[in-house]
Amino acid sequence: MSLPDELSDPARALDGIRAAAGRIAAGARRTPIVPSHTFSAGSGAEVHLKLENLQRTGSFKLRGALNKVAQLSRAELDRGLVAASAGNHAQGVALAARIHGIKAVVCMAANATPSKVDATRGYGAEVVLHGSIWDEANDKAKQLVEQHGYTYIHPFDDRQLMTGQGTVGLEIARDWADVDVAVVPIGGGGLISGIAMALKAHNPKVRIIGVESSDGPAMKRSIDAGRVVTLDRIDTIIDGLRVKRVGDLTYEVVRDFVDDIVTLPDTQIFDAVVWTMQYAKLVPEGAAASPIGALLHGLVKAPAGSKVVAVLSGGNVNLDQLKGLRWN
């Protein structure tokens, strides 16, 4: 497939991303970008962190949901929304629906993080648990569209979602104009697609590096194959990275505008969660810590002195396991 005009060139995409920024301004936070002195001292690069873990709902996903819902017709809104999600898109859609005063149904895998399920219900959405991965929950969502006529909101393969997520890149460009490298997690590809278009429009020479779990690298396998592929199996347990098949649109954008994709195993990503808590005093979820893991393990090649931003995409960690432990 070919990209629509507004996604085929970053300069064209930038107009949509700027418009999205205006649409979501009342509902989403402009999150900070902060220096990591520990990282910078150890890597030889100047490293900053973009803190989408501080976004409302704890994730960047709210941006795309707000942008999408703001452009639906009255008839589409009145039918109610349905989405499938590992948890963060669920909360974004639920809050966007509440802001607009409409119904939302969210299908989540039966093994979804309990705190994400509870938060989604807390925003007012009805939660349907189905399957063990996003793809199976998504099949259930499409079934509900057929049964009830809901308006379906895809979590990543949608141009309005992607331009909404692109506001993360727009903020990076405005707050740190001379950034050289952006390191971004890849699940379905919506976040890195939006960020790549925003930053490439600002500076075509900026390098965009995607990070996946090597236990389920759906985007890297697709790029290597020259087409979108569906993984036979997926072993990653990190919900934000657990996708068997990336989007058709996101594949095209990543192929054209992302410079490299690196992978590392879940164990190293979870080590990066703890590292970030210890040294950056921040709480990222697994997917959000994958850029940190890639930097810690030397997977991101950047000349000494490069200005590198790592996007911490969310902070919705299940902390139930920590209850009852002692802390200083």
Side-chain angles (χ1 to χ4, degrees):
M1 66 178 294
S2 60
L3 286 170
D5 288 345
E6 64 268 30
L7 300 180
S8 62
D9 176 70
R12 292 183 181 181
L14 186 60
D15 291 335
I17 294 169
R18 286 172 173 159
R23 290 188 198 99
I24 72 173
R29 298 186 180 121
R30 179 169 179 167
T31 57
I33 179 171
V34 299
S36 172
H37 300 295
T38 303
F39 239 139
S40 299
S43 68
E46 183 179 350
V47 179
H48 284 51
L49 309 176
K50 175 62 171 171
L51 304 185
E52 280 298 289
N53 57 314
L54 302 183
Q55 184 56 260
R56 289 183 72 187
T57 74
S59 163
F60 75 94
K61 288 284 191 176
L62 177 63
R63 296 172 181 264
L66 286 172
N67 189 49
K68 178 68 178 180
V69 173
Q71 296 177 80
L72 294 176
S73 68
R74 187 69 255 173
E76 289 171 320
L77 293 173
D78 289 344
R79 290 200 297 269
L81 309 179
V82 68
S85 171
N88 288 338
H89 180 60
Q91 294 174 68
V93 169
L95 180 53
R98 190 178 77 179
I99 289 170
H100 285 267
I102 58 176
K103 178 179 180 177
V105 178
V106 179
C107 299
M108 304 174 73
N111 58 358
T113 302
S115 59
K116 293 183 179 182
V117 175
D118 292 343
T120 301
R121 288 180 174 140
Y123 288 120
E126 175 187 343
V127 174
V128 176
L129 299 177
H130 181 83
S132 61
I133 59 174
W134 172 82
D135 306 77
E136 293 168 354
N138 193 48
D139 290 339
K140 182 64 174 179
K142 291 181 178 179
Q143 179 185 337
L144 294 178
V145 171
E146 294 296 322
Q147 292 176 345
H148 302 288
Y150 296 136
T151 299
Y152 174 73
I153 309 293
H154 199 284
F156 48 83
D157 205 31
D158 179 289
R159 63 181 181 83
Q160 293 163 332
L161 261 293
M162 291 159 64
T163 53
Q165 320 307 18
T167 59
V168 176
L170 186 66
E171 291 174 10
I172 292 170
R174 289 173 173 172
D175 291 343
W176 203 23
D178 50 354
V179 63
D180 298 308
V181 180
V183 191
V184 187
I186 299 179
L191 177 63
I192 196 169
S193 294
I195 289 176
M197 290 185 293
L199 290 180
K200 292 284 187 178
H202 172 72
N203 174 15
K205 294 182 179 180
V206 68
R207 296 185 68 237
I208 310 296
I209 310 299
V211 187
E212 289 186 297
S213 171
S214 55
D215 299 319
M219 184 66 80
K220 183 170 177 54
R221 292 273 181 86
S222 296
I223 295 298
D224 290 345
R227 58 181 176 82
V228 178
V229 300
T230 302
L231 299 181
D232 293 331
R233 58 177 291 173
I234 186 165
D235 295 319
T236 178
I237 63 170
I238 299 173
D239 55 8
L241 305 179
R242 190 174 168 82
V243 176
K244 273 191 170 183
R245 183 181 177 89
V246 300
D248 294 322
L249 285 175
T250 58
Y251 163 78
E252 297 277 348
V253 174
V254 169
R255 182 197 63 194
D256 290 351
F257 303 119
V258 170
D259 297 278
D260 194 14
I261 299 173
V262 299
T263 68
L264 69 167
D266 282 9
T267 53
Q268 293 180 357
I269 295 174
F270 285 126
D271 286 345
V273 171
V274 176
W275 188 97
T276 307
M277 291 179 181
Q278 181 173 357
Y279 292 103
K281 315 307 178 190
L282 297 164
V283 180
E285 60 188 86
S290 61
I292 301 296
L295 289 165
L296 287 172
H297 289 277
L299 301 178
V300 177
K301 306 304 180 186
S306 296
K307 296 175 173 60
V308 179
V309 61
V311 178
L312 272 61
S313 55
N316 290 316
V317 180
N318 182 19
L319 297 177
D320 286 345
Q321 297 97 320
L322 301 182
K323 290 180 180 178
L325 299 180
R326 296 181 183 274
W327 302 88
N328 289 329

